[in-house]
Amino acid sequence: MAATSLEGADAPQPRTAKAAPRAVGRLRPWQVMIALAALFVVISLARQLSGGTDLTSVGQWGGTLSFAMPIGLAGLGGLWAERAGVVNIGLEGMMVLGTFGGGYVAWHTHSAWLGLLAGIALGALGGLLHAYLTVTLGVDHIVSGVAINLLAPGFAAYLSKLAFTTPAATAQGGGQKQSPPVPGFSRITIPGLSSWLAHLDAHHWFLVSDLAGLIGGIVTGLSVITVLAVALLIGSYFVLWRTPFGLRLRSCGENPTAAESLGVNVYRYKYAAVLVSGGLAGLGGVFIAMVNSNFFLDGQTGGRGYIGLASMIFGNWRIGGLAAGAGLFGYTDSLQGRADTTSVHALLLIVAVLLIGLALWNGYRRRYLRAGIGLAIGALVVVWFTATKSLPAEFLVVTPHITTLLVMGLASQRLRMPKADGLVYRRGQGT
Amino acid sequence: MNANTKPPAAAERPAKGLGKGLGKGIDREKLLLAVAAPVLALIATMVITAIVLLCSGKEPFGALRVMGTYLGYSDYQVNTLNQATTYYLGALAVAFGFRMKLFNIGVDGQYRIGAFFAAVAGGAVNLPAVLEIPMIMVVSMACAGLWAGIAGWLKVTRGVSEVITSIMLNAVAGSVIAYLLNPKRLALAVGNDVRTPKIPDSGHFFSFNLAGGQLWGFIIIAALVGIGFHLLLNRTRFGFDLRATGRSESAALASGVNVKRMVVVSMLVSGALAGLIGMPQLLNSSYQYSVDFPAGIGFTCIGIALVGRNNPVGIAFAALLFAFLDTVANPLQFNGYQVELVPVIEGTIVVCVVGTYEVVRRYGLRRQQSRVGEQLGRTGPTATDTAKGVAA
Amino acid sequence: MHAVVGENGAGKSTLMKILYGMQRPDEGTIAIDGEQVALHSPADAIARGIGMVHQHFMLADNLTVLENTTLGAEKLHGIGGRARARIQEISQAYGLGVRPDALVEDLGVADRQRVEILKVLYRGARTLILDEPTSVLVPQEVDALFDNLRGLKEEGLTVLFISHKLDEVLKVADAITVIRRGTTVAEVDPAGTTSRRLAELMVGSELPSPEASESTVTDTEVLAVRGLTLTEPDADGVARTVLDGISLTIHRGEVLGIAGVEGNGQAELVETIMGMRAADSGSVVLDGKDISGLLTRARREAGIGYIPEDRHRHGLLLEAPLWENRILGHVTEAPNSRRGILHPSAARQDTARIVAEYDVRTPGIEVTAASLSGGNQQKLIVGREMSGDPALLIAAHPTRGVDVGAQAQIWDAVRDARRRGLAVLLISADLDELIGLSDTLRVIYRGRIVADADPATVTSEELGSAMTGAAANGNERPEGDTP
């Protein structure tokens, strides 16, 4: 009896509360601002040291913005679907449908906006198919997505040949695999300011020119669709996290059985989410075909649907993180398109600085092993930077892919996806 | 129609025949349901394709007639079999992962990495044929397997979904090859073409000389791999563990399967099988890796594996179907249809098959449950209890 | 406050699902306040003032209490400040003590249940259905719950209470309905009945009881667990001690029962002994051989049979035929395979033997495991795990969710094996089962063995109280077992 009472005497932590702070994965706004500012200083410093002027030029930032948008839109589509518990790897296919729908209708009707609507509608149609297969029939989400990715490009290629090899189309430059030029959307350039910023940018002053480049990139030739996309990102946050509709939708991704028991029509919300998802991917496709280009081209998406999905995972199924991921991928995408090998090479310097910074942070947190590894890799990258003059162009193309692999390999344990994400849910089967 | 084309078709048959005879007590209904799904899917595909053709102002039955006609031509039969050999191997690679719910979407990158390094190795050394050919195959399987192993390793150690990593690795594989396939590195520039050194004659696989053309001897390897796949999965402990993991990872874990090891091993094996995809092309046809080495086969193979229900017999049929559709694309073109009709048909088949399989599977499960309940209701003493348990 | 009692599988939960609109009745009517209604969905039921607290909580872990509460009832007070105020108001009125902005995953079981009750009240329910509300609570928490429920009753609410724990029912109910095999067998006034009488009504005949016969415990140690400690990261990645220096010994012919409220480390203990989780320290010795470093398969081969807690997730391949389920977990053992090659015909034969010996009701061994009833699935598992003469059987909740007949058969099987010298580690939430079958009892609380009890003398109440960690009236521990 003595032993047991002793055992019972020392009460460990209370049963309900956990001592851990809930900061993991969620940063406060001011922390994000400081981190972004620090990153900017690092890039600026790298530009100054290496002379890779394109790292922060007006063109580079403008390119970042326009390359990031399709990725961000696809990622946002993924976020909608996965928050409702449906994994949507079919984003790529839906994006392809978007490029065709936009290209065809815009050319046919001479209206960019009708093209936009058609792209969204075709993307949503792909979403409808995915929703039917996964929600109504209960097919595995990955299998369904892969099937859609096989089907959609086939249809787009078939229809494009049908639509763009007519005499009327070929006369305007259409062909088997591409549409004639299509009307674009209006772009916003602030007169005076843009040119002044470009002028400032050309001076290459530390931080000042870099900042001018950044702002100039935003206010020069800004497409209205970019504005729309940003609005959709912000709007999605409010809809998903601040409205009853969003609450219901997210509950389907966390615990559909519970949602059903409270009278939520889980199928309907999943359908809605996947339809929106397809529409957003379609809009991403429209962006590729009609903003970053001015015609539809077969295979134009180049796997950006997958990158979008990756940026969503990178962003921990949250809008802010997703935007950051899309921005990062857009930045490298944009830089690789610029003919400035010095700037590309300077990327190594940025990576090295970031790695060493992270290592120091780990050292401060007494995680010496990680700190050591980080320092070693950082040092290697510095050696690589000093020993070479340029980066092989072949590898620059896959920077987003390698970044995704690294981020997922290093930070995957911190990520938290919706609890019922990817699980097939059948109505009435919960206990 | 040509009598000469018969032997190869017969050579494929042993692989198919094996599936039967195995399950002694196989329910006739189960078999019926298994056949019903693909048949339903094919009918649905035909209807959809007909609608697509009608909408684009073409005559649907004409397309079917063209296909029927060319099915009888021996050169088209040989081409179909050659193409099917490649598809069969690829779909087996995909199916191997799918059987344990491991989505190796990266088959495409894996086979290109494998074929590239195999071509480099084959072009660099000249061994007797008995060594040269296995050496090339082993290099390809090893490189492709290791490439797939990266995704497996990331999944096991870092918990990252293999779906995303293998897609990313596809792109990376492309750039690795682009970097190395350069006259400054591992390739030669011959005229406009950039390619690896030719593989010596000892590295050429034999072909059958048929009236319809050269039938790649690699079809025999493909058939053997199919048989091996079946035996490994259904007759060995390893296969049981793999299937158990696919059916329920949690139950497999509790039963003593080392799931992490299984993931890595399966990814390696799936990748190694993917390494065979490029071999028929490399050893029976091109003998080199150049910029125009076929790409994108991996994705088609995913579709074929799904249509063939991850089963070596089903995949054989699916591979033949897809290969035939591919070869008949050009004749369709001559007859006023479009080459691009083929991907539409293939994509539609995959989507329809995926849907009908799921519907039929659920129907079969429900039906068996209610039949068991019925049967016990008549014979068992505690019928009410059991029936209720089933209904709940 | 009306109680519905019945055995497992008597149709209680089905009845509740019908009342809550989750299933539709084939025949019959439901009247609320004298008015006949048709309930097509939970939404209908909610609109009629019916609220349900499910046995398995219906809460989304990653959402806050506020979000969980307002979900589906957003129209009432929105999802913002007004809703928060209303929740606090209800919480105070009924003494529920709920914090609206806490994440549900941070809450304990009793708190989650209060959130469930709050959800129902928030929707203005006048009739509360509680499905087995006490199964996850310790007796002290049960008392607190009953206080809450009495408070609700005084406010004029109707409470429908489903249970198979008769003492509790007699304690709180104003009227009792007994159901068996889907029909009402009696309406009883709690004042004029005893739990013995109720139990007989429930079972329909004399009670099967898990009485173990005379002791068969020997001196031969089969399993010796020493200082087993396990830490695992929780959802936040913070390491938490799940098992804390557990030591126990089981002899040949001994059944050692582990009592404890669910979630105190029982599942982790079992899975650590099975090698499914890696212990941080401590050793597991089976038949004198240290198996701490072995993988699950090697441990099974060394002679451990395992009846998992959740047979659907861990015990069966639901879509595979019975004979393949026979192989599951024993793929390396005779007669299932030899030198890496499967032996399907032998496995089929042996499955037929199990089906006959353990009275598995099935039309054949080619049907899928999913088509069997829970009791028959469990009998198949028991038969499988007893094959190959294990030295140790780990049985986690072996009779959970099975019908009375199967329950008795499973108990018999365990007793038989024990007589033949099997050592058994028994985990159960059913205290009567534990007391009836075990030779020795240990109480686990927050990953530690906090008390021992002698099943011959201990009562359910004493055991229950030890399970809360109070440990005041536990029995003494035998020497040598202290770490």
Side-chain angles (χ1 to χ4, degrees):
Chain A
M1 219 169 279
T4 46
S5 50
L6 263 179
E7 292 281 349
D10 58 7
Q13 71 274 45
R15 190 159 157 218
T16 52
K18 286 178 197 161
R22 300 207 50 85
V24 185
R26 278 193 216 181
L27 297 171
R28 293 175 195 288
W30 62 268
Q31 289 172 315
V32 176
M33 293 309 286
I34 288 181
L36 285 178
L39 181 66
F40 191 77
V41 172
V42 168
I43 296 174
S44 172
L45 205 62
R47 201 261 309 145
Q48 200 75 18
L49 290 176
S50 68
T53 51
D54 252 347
L55 279 178
T56 59
S57 68
V58 168
Q60 165 63 11
W61 289 116
T64 299
L65 207 54
S66 52
F67 280 113
M69 283 307 141
I71 296 171
L73 285 167
L76 189 61
L79 185 106
W80 270 78
E82 300 214 1
R83 277 288 170 185
V86 179
V87 170
N88 188 0
I89 199 175
L91 286 170
E92 176 70 13
M94 296 168 200
M95 250 180 147
V96 172
L97 292 175
T99 55
F100 174 77
Y104 177 71
V105 172
W107 167 69
H108 200 72
T109 62
H110 309 290
S111 160
W113 288 98
L114 282 180
L116 178 100
L117 291 180
I120 294 175
L122 267 188
L125 198 65
L128 182 67
L129 179 61
H130 190 54
Y132 178 71
L133 287 171
T134 56
V135 179
T136 305
L137 298 186
V139 173
D140 183 285
H141 299 179
I142 304 284
V143 166
S144 166
V146 168
I148 286 171
N149 286 345
L150 287 171
L151 180 72
F155 260 98
Y158 180 77
L159 294 175
S160 83
K161 188 160 177 190
L162 216 61
F164 304 134
T165 50
T166 56
T170 43
Q172 295 173 38
Q176 286 191 12
K177 290 186 181 298
Q178 74 178 66
S179 73
V182 296
F185 298 95
S186 49
R187 289 180 179 273
I188 306 162
T189 296
I190 299 176
L193 180 62
S194 292
S195 52
W196 178 65
L197 287 169
H199 176 72
L200 217 54
D201 180 33
H203 282 292
H204 306 310
W205 292 328
F206 178 59
L207 277 184
V208 176
S209 294
D210 303 317
L211 207 58
L214 176 63
I215 300 170
I218 296 172
V219 300
T220 309
L222 180 71
S223 170
V224 288
I225 306 302
T226 305
V227 179
L228 174 69
V230 172
L232 281 172
L233 272 168
I234 298 167
S236 291
Y237 172 77
F238 278 98
V239 171
L240 288 175
W241 273 274
R242 290 282 180 268
T243 67
F245 173 83
L247 174 62
R248 289 178 168 219
L249 192 146
R250 283 185 296 126
S251 74
C252 297
E254 296 288 345
N255 187 344
T257 318
E260 187 184 88
S261 81
L262 294 172
V264 174
N265 186 335
V266 175
Y267 281 17
R268 190 189 296 162
Y269 282 89
K270 288 197 177 219
Y271 259 90
V274 181
L275 275 175
V276 171
S277 173
L280 286 167
L283 179 59
V286 168
F287 202 101
I288 292 174
M290 299 174 61
V291 179
N292 289 350
S293 171
N294 67 339
F295 52 86
F296 160 83
L297 180 69
D298 192 33
Q300 203 169 20
T301 56
R304 282 193 180 75
Y306 297 126
I307 298 283
L309 201 65
S311 74
M312 178 207 64
I313 297 173
F314 175 96
N316 199 13
W317 287 265
R318 299 191 148 265
I319 306 256
L322 153 73
L328 172 65
F329 297 155
Y331 186 84
T332 53
D333 238 4
S334 169
L335 196 60
Q336 135 219 331
R338 313 188 73 72
D340 178 5
T341 49
T342 328
S343 294
V344 173
H345 189 228
L347 269 185
L348 286 177
L349 198 62
I350 298 174
V351 171
V353 170
L354 291 180
L355 274 173
I356 292 167
L358 197 68
L360 291 177
W361 170 250
N362 272 327
Y364 173 71
R365 297 286 298 264
R366 293 164 188 270
R367 288 180 293 220
Y368 296 117
L369 182 69
R370 286 195 213 176
I373 295 173
L375 268 183
I377 300 177
L380 277 178
V381 177
V382 171
V383 171
W384 186 7
F385 173 75
T386 45
T388 55
K389 282 263 175 285
S390 66
L391 262 181
E394 289 91 348
F395 287 114
L396 196 64
V397 188
V398 289
T399 322
H401 307 84
I402 294 175
T403 314
T404 305
L405 284 171
L406 286 178
V407 167
M408 291 180 48
L410 295 175
S412 61
Q413 265 105 347
R414 299 216 161 185
L415 303 181
R416 166 150 198 181
M417 66 172 182
K419 207 160 190 179
D421 197 11
L423 304 179
V424 172
Y425 175 75
R426 307 302 292 166
R427 185 181 279 156
Q429 282 193 357
T431 29
Chain B
M1 189 68 212
N2 196 314
N4 279 350
T5 53
K6 277 276 153 68
E12 276 265 301
R13 215 152 276 153
K16 294 172 198 159
L18 256 160
K20 296 169 193 166
L22 210 210
K24 277 180 207 152
I26 279 194
D27 215 317
R28 191 184 298 160
E29 188 171 297
K30 217 164 143 190
L31 204 71
L32 202 73
L33 284 178
V35 178
V39 169
L40 273 176
L42 273 182
I43 293 172
T45 306
M46 284 186 183
V47 171
I48 292 171
T49 311
I51 293 172
V52 169
L53 284 173
L54 284 174
C55 289
S56 44
K58 305 267 158 80
E59 203 262 302
F61 293 101
L64 215 55
R65 254 198 314 279
V66 171
M67 290 187 194
T69 312
Y70 281 82
L71 186 62
Y73 293 158
S74 59
D75 49 342
Y76 280 85
Q77 290 168 350
V78 168
N79 284 344
T80 299
L81 286 173
N82 286 344
Q83 185 66 43
T85 302
T86 301
Y87 282 167
Y88 187 64
L89 289 165
L92 285 181
V94 176
F96 196 84
F98 275 13
R99 283 299 275 270
M100 66 169 282
K101 295 247 164 73
L102 198 60
F103 294 100
N104 183 3
I105 312 286
V107 164
D108 205 67
Q110 289 149 24
Y111 89 81
R112 280 186 289 148
I113 282 279
F116 174 75
F117 284 107
V120 170
V125 288
N126 190 354
L127 300 169
V130 282
L131 291 176
E132 179 83 4
I133 291 174
M135 186 275 294
I136 293 173
M137 282 168 62
V138 166
V139 168
S140 179
M141 291 172 80
C143 292
L146 288 175
W147 197 253
I150 299 174
W153 179 75
L154 279 171
K155 184 181 174 74
V156 168
T157 57
R158 314 299 304 178
V160 187
S161 155
E162 76 282 6
V163 177
I164 287 290
T165 48
S166 59
I167 289 172
M168 297 298 131
L169 284 168
N170 275 344
V172 180
S175 72
V176 167
I177 293 171
Y179 177 73
L180 294 176
L181 191 67
N182 185 307
K184 277 186 262 172
R185 295 175 190 105
L186 296 177
L188 311 166
V190 182
N192 281 334
D193 199 15
V194 178
R195 59 170 178 82
T196 59
K198 281 266 185 201
I199 293 174
D201 285 349
S202 63
H204 295 192
F205 209 81
F206 67 89
S207 295
F208 299 101
N209 258 317
L210 304 179
Q214 296 272 318
L215 177 71
W216 295 347
F218 218 81
I219 195 168
I220 292 177
I221 302 274
L224 289 175
V225 171
I227 295 170
F229 182 99
H230 171 84
L231 291 178
L232 182 67
L233 253 66
N234 293 300
R235 290 306 182 96
T236 66
R237 284 176 193 170
F238 175 82
F240 185 86
D241 286 350
L242 185 131
R243 287 182 294 127
T245 313
R247 277 169 162 151
S248 164
E249 189 180 316
S250 52
L253 197 71
S255 86
V257 176
N258 185 345
V259 172
K260 289 190 167 180
R261 212 187 99 223
M262 285 300 288
V263 167
V264 174
V265 171
S266 303
M267 215 57 188
L268 288 174
V269 174
S270 177
L273 285 174
L276 289 174
I277 297 176
M279 292 301 98
Q281 169 76 22
L282 192 67
L283 301 178
N284 266 128
S285 173
S286 67
Y287 312 116
Q288 65 184 19
Y289 193 107
S290 55
V291 194
D292 61 354
F293 198 82
I297 296 174
F299 291 104
T300 314
C301 289
I302 295 174
I304 295 170
L306 290 174
V307 173
R309 218 175 185 176
N310 302 323
N311 168 308
V313 183
I315 291 174
F317 283 112
L320 284 170
L321 176 65
F322 274 58
F324 173 69
L325 286 172
D326 280 4
T327 45
V328 88
N330 279 324
L332 281 173
Q333 177 93 324
F334 310 148
N335 288 279
Y337 297 93
Q338 291 169 21
V339 184
E340 284 80 5
L341 184 62
V342 168
V344 169
I345 299 176
E346 290 177 349
T348 310
I349 294 177
V350 176
V351 169
C352 291
V353 156
V354 158
T356 50
Y357 276 164
E358 191 60 30
V359 171
V360 168
R361 187 182 74 86
R362 285 178 196 279
Y363 170 80
L365 266 180
R366 267 204 316 277
R367 194 165 152 71
Q368 194 178 41
Q369 285 183 349
S370 64
R371 274 178 59 204
V372 168
E374 263 170 43
Q375 243 166 327
L376 291 177
R378 264 182 265 117
T379 55
T382 58
T384 35
D385 260 346
T386 323
K388 206 170 293 128
V390 171
Chain C
M1 200 179 297
H2 191 113
V4 176
V5 299
E7 264 294 338
N8 285 326
K12 291 170 300 193
S13 293
T14 311
L15 174 66
M16 292 309 121
K17 280 187 184 166
I18 292 174
L19 288 181
Y20 192 55
M22 288 167 80
Q23 271 180 19
R24 293 242 212 120
D26 297 330
E27 280 173 45
T29 57
I30 301 169
I32 299 173
D33 292 333
E35 182 198 346
Q36 264 196 25
V37 293
L39 303 170
H40 300 296
S41 69
D44 283 355
I46 293 167
R48 306 265 176 193
I50 296 178
M52 173 119 160
V53 175
H54 300 267
Q55 183 181 2
H56 304 288
F57 297 145
M58 296 285 188
L59 296 168
D61 286 357
N62 200 20
L63 301 183
T64 62
V65 170
L66 173 70
E67 288 175 319
N68 268 293
T69 310
T70 51
L71 176 62
E74 301 88 348
K75 291 211 178 81
L76 293 175
H77 311 285
I79 61 170
R82 273 190 306 133
R84 186 176 287 110
R86 177 75 189 134
I87 288 172
Q88 271 156 345
E89 194 182 309
I90 298 174
S91 172
Q92 269 158 21
Y94 298 101
L96 295 174
V98 163
R99 290 169 296 143
D101 291 308
L103 266 189
V104 166
E105 68 178 6
D106 293 341
L107 300 183
V109 181
D111 283 333
R112 288 181 191 215
Q113 192 168 54
R114 283 193 272 274
V115 175
E116 284 283 17
I117 295 174
L118 182 102
K119 263 164 69 177
V120 169
L121 296 175
Y122 184 83
R123 286 161 172 71
R126 305 301 300 164
T127 307
L128 258 72
I129 306 172
L130 291 100
D131 190 1
E132 303 267 4
T134 60
S135 61
V136 289
L137 302 179
V138 297
Q140 283 71 8
E141 289 171 334
V142 170
D143 289 341
L145 170 70
F146 286 166
D147 285 343
N148 282 332
L149 294 183
R150 285 197 197 93
L152 296 174
K153 193 174 79 176
E154 276 152 28
E155 299 285 319
L157 274 73
T158 311
V159 179
L160 200 55
F161 180 94
I162 301 169
S163 182
H164 65 262
K165 294 187 180 169
L166 305 173
D167 301 342
E168 292 172 357
V169 168
L170 287 171
K171 219 188 295 178
V172 293
D174 302 312
I176 300 173
T177 301
V178 183
I179 61 171
R180 184 169 78 233
R181 297 208 174 154
T183 52
T184 305
V185 292
E187 308 253 4
V188 209
D189 178 4
T193 191
T194 63
S195 55
R196 181 87 202 161
R197 171 85 194 109
L198 269 183
E200 276 165 15
L201 282 170
M202 263 163 60
V203 179
S205 60
E206 78 280 20
L207 286 168
S209 92
E211 287 313 299
S213 42
E214 77 286 5
S215 171
T216 53
V217 184
T218 64
D219 289 339
T220 327
E221 281 189 8
V222 175
L223 178 78
V225 175
R226 293 283 170 265
L228 207 58
T229 300
L230 173 76
T231 52
E232 292 207 328
D234 60 10
D236 291 328
V238 179
R240 218 165 55 92
T241 306
V242 198
L243 296 178
D244 193 356
I246 297 234
S247 296
L248 36 92
T249 310
I250 311 181
H251 302 91
R252 263 177 72 83
E254 178 182 284
V255 177
L256 185 135
I258 303 263
V261 177
E262 274 179 62
N264 273 286
Q266 298 96 317
E268 288 82 2
L269 173 63
V270 166
E271 291 181 9
T272 310
I273 296 176
M274 285 306 297
M276 292 158 68
R277 294 172 193 253
D280 297 312
S281 63
S283 67
V284 179
V285 177
L286 184 75
D287 272 342
K289 190 177 151 222
D290 191 344
I291 58 167
S292 318
L294 298 185
L295 294 172
T296 306
R297 171 154 295 161
R299 294 188 192 208
R300 277 177 171 274
E301 286 166 352
I304 304 183
Y306 175 37
I307 302 173
E309 174 178 343
D310 183 339
R311 61 177 162 271
H312 287 181
R313 284 191 66 231
H314 293 121
L316 294 168
L317 301 175
L318 285 172
E319 293 190 23
L322 298 191
W323 66 271
E324 287 200 325
N325 276 290
R326 160 71 184 95
I327 301 177
L328 184 71
H330 303 269
V331 67
T332 54
E333 297 159 23
N336 299 326
S337 72
R338 214 179 318 145
R339 284 193 225 96
I341 305 296
L342 287 189
H343 208 328
S345 57
R348 281 197 175 92
Q349 259 173 24
D350 201 55
T351 313
R353 173 191 66 81
I354 293 174
V355 165
E357 266 179 37
Y358 288 85
D359 188 31
V360 181
R361 311 259 162 86
T362 169
I365 57 167
E366 297 292 339
V367 301
T368 57
S371 42
L372 298 191
S373 71
N376 285 311
Q377 288 174 345
Q378 193 73 345
K379 283 189 276 183
L380 179 76
I381 293 177
V382 172
R384 173 181 79 196
E385 299 303 328
M386 295 287 195
S387 312
D389 281 325
L392 170 73
L393 177 72
I394 299 180
H397 307 278
T399 61
R400 173 176 282 180
V402 308
D403 53 284
V404 188
Q407 187 176 40
Q409 285 171 326
I410 291 167
W411 283 338
D412 282 344
V414 172
R415 264 188 235 113
D416 280 355
R418 162 177 168 268
R419 208 170 299 129
R420 278 182 274 123
L422 183 75
V424 180
L425 176 64
L426 176 70
I427 314 274
S428 180
D430 181 344
L431 296 188
D432 295 330
E433 176 176 82
L434 271 177
I435 295 172
L437 277 182
S438 307
D439 299 298
T440 322
L441 277 173
R442 297 274 186 282
V443 179
I444 192 169
Y445 178 66
R446 281 186 207 148
R448 305 171 131 200
I449 300 285
V450 293
D452 303 335
D454 180 355
T457 57
V458 78
T459 64
S460 295
E461 282 69 27
E462 287 167 350
L463 209 51
S465 149
M467 282 155 58
T468 63
N473 47 0
N475 293 35
E476 61 223 66
R477 305 175 62 110
E479 262 99 287
D481 230 21
T482 330

